[in-house]
Amino acid sequence: MTIQVKLDRVMRTSSLNGNDLAARVGITSVNLSRIKTGKTRAIRFSTLDALCESLGCQPGDLLMHVSNDVSASEDDEQ
């Protein structure tokens, strides 16, 4: 099981840049970048809530479940 983060896609449709979003959410720009790139292993519900509130979206807009078979074939294509 792999969870992919789609935060960068949602941010493209908003008027917020990374620094502004990090400030609204109450996290550092470095932590926001780690979330965006999927380099974090966990996210607090309070952070997820603040991201959704700031971006006007639902958690499902930010996260996507991908089976291991699909994610392995996507890695091969890149």
Side-chain angles (χ1 to χ4, degrees):
M1 170 180 84
T2 303
I3 302 295
Q4 290 185 346
V5 180
K6 303 184 296 181
L7 178 58
D8 58 339
R9 294 178 193 165
V10 176
M11 284 180 63
R12 276 188 232 131
T13 62
S14 79
S15 60
L16 293 173
N17 64 38
N19 291 330
D20 292 339
L21 180 58
R24 280 190 183 193
V25 172
I27 60 175
T28 65
S29 296
V30 171
N31 283 338
L32 180 66
S33 177
R34 288 181 181 154
I35 293 169
K36 260 179 36 176
T37 58
K39 293 184 180 177
T40 186
R41 298 188 53 86
I43 184 169
R44 294 175 187 226
F45 282 133
S46 59
T47 302
L48 185 58
D49 178 54
L51 284 168
C52 290
E53 184 72 29
S54 297
L55 294 168
C57 66
Q58 295 293 316
D61 298 329
L62 300 176
L63 304 172
M64 180 174 68
H65 174 264
V66 179
S67 71
N68 289 336
D69 295 337
V70 173
S71 66
S73 65
E74 286 178 357
D75 289 342
D76 292 341
E77 292 174 5
Q78 294 177 356

